[in-house]
Amino acid sequence: MLRILLIEDQRDIAANIWDYLEFRGFVMDHAADGANGLRMALGGSYDVIVLDLGLPKLDGIDLCRALRAAGRDTPVLMLTARDTLEDKLIGFAEGADDYVVKPFAMKELEARIRALFRRGRLQHGDLLRVGDLVLDPVKLSVERAGQPISLTRAGFVLLEALMQRAPHLVRHGDLAHALWGGDGGDIATLHTHLSVLRAAIDRPFETHLLHTVHGFGYRIADNAVES
Ligand code: CA
């Protein structure tokens, strides 16, 4: 999942962006002023920072400059008002990677975020692979032996969590957390999602990759002994 730091002081705008992106499967963090935003940007590990230009305590341009001065290359998407074209240009000089002009469509924002992330990831070549199973966290696509596999959102989230830790066990609690966040969710539903996932990625193939570790959780591994 893509981790986004949203730095925006206007509550309603921040809430709209948060709700939309979270619904679309992003993991969100939020800061309501520039000083906090910079502290979080330096302390956390984010895939993209969505940064408002006009912020209390430390504005977007200064934040961006400080971030780059600290050696951080996290992609920054700047949010600007329509009448601040000049600020945009300064923003790029200070290390912002792209911008959208308020008011913007959420779809547009999401597309820009994915494009920035893809650009960053392509440099790092970050597809997840186990055997002939490949997951692309940017395109949200999965294929096995070159065949595209379509998954539910739950299936994708679970598979990504398993592949990130492959070939190790991922416990029920960690899978539930990946899927539902802090609030949990019930284990029967979790097992159901995993059996749907297993049907999609394993049933049509000779080698089974998803392994149940009874009483503990699941793991994804190539040529592993069934436990
Ligand atoms: Ca603002």
Side-chain angles (χ1 to χ4, degrees):
M1 292 292 104
L2 273 65
R3 291 173 308 276
I4 307 293
L5 174 58
L6 170 63
I7 309 175
E8 164 65 76
D9 58 317
Q10 263 173 280
R11 269 178 190 283
D12 52 340
I13 296 179
N16 281 341
I17 294 175
W18 175 295
D19 288 349
Y20 181 86
L21 293 179
E22 188 174 56
F23 177 74
R24 300 286 295 154
F26 294 81
V27 176
M28 303 298 297
D29 255 339
H30 172 241
D33 66 65
N36 248 323
L38 179 61
R39 189 180 51 76
M40 289 170 76
L42 292 173
S45 145
Y46 298 100
D47 295 304
V48 174
I49 296 171
V50 177
L51 176 63
D52 186 33
L53 189 63
L55 289 167
K57 294 188 184 169
L58 182 69
D59 77 23
I61 303 270
D62 289 338
L63 193 160
C64 211
R65 184 188 299 133
L67 189 70
R68 298 302 182 227
R72 297 305 186 90
D73 61 357
T74 315
V76 171
L77 178 63
M78 197 81 100
L79 308 178
T80 76
R82 194 168 287 285
D83 55 358
T84 52
L85 184 66
E86 230 168 276
D87 293 334
K88 272 179 231 161
L89 300 176
I90 296 168
F92 285 113
E94 300 302 340
D97 299 276
D98 196 3
Y99 68 90
V100 289
V101 177
K102 291 177 179 178
F104 48 81
M106 288 297 166
K107 259 188 170 173
E108 172 72 9
L109 181 70
E110 183 188 0
R112 298 295 186 88
I113 289 173
R114 290 197 188 282
L116 277 183
F117 177 67
R118 197 173 305 132
R119 222 188 287 164
R121 276 290 166 108
L122 281 179
Q123 292 159 7
H124 305 120
D126 211 357
L127 297 176
L128 295 171
R129 293 173 195 276
V130 174
D132 56 1
L133 181 68
V134 181
L135 180 147
D136 184 329
V138 176
K139 291 186 195 151
L140 301 179
S141 66
V142 175
E143 55 174 59
R144 185 160 179 196
Q147 299 178 33
I149 291 175
S150 81
L151 296 177
T152 60
R153 178 187 172 272
F156 187 89
V157 171
L158 293 170
L159 183 60
E160 189 180 30
L162 286 159
M163 288 179 82
Q164 281 167 344
R165 306 259 289 272
H168 302 294
L169 162 73
V170 184
R171 289 175 183 274
H172 291 136
D174 292 336
L175 290 170
H177 188 83
L179 197 51
W180 293 300
D183 302 334
D186 73 293
I187 201 147
T189 309
L190 185 68
H191 287 309
T192 304
H193 285 311
L194 280 146
S195 72
V196 172
L197 174 64
R198 171 172 279 145
I201 64 167
D202 273 348
R203 196 165 295 157
F205 300 92
E206 227 165 75
T207 317
H208 289 181
L209 299 176
L210 179 59
H211 306 277
T212 305
V213 184
H214 291 289
F216 291 97
Y218 293 83
R219 63 202 190 96
I220 286 264
D222 200 8
N223 65 37
V225 179
E226 198 71 52
S227 29

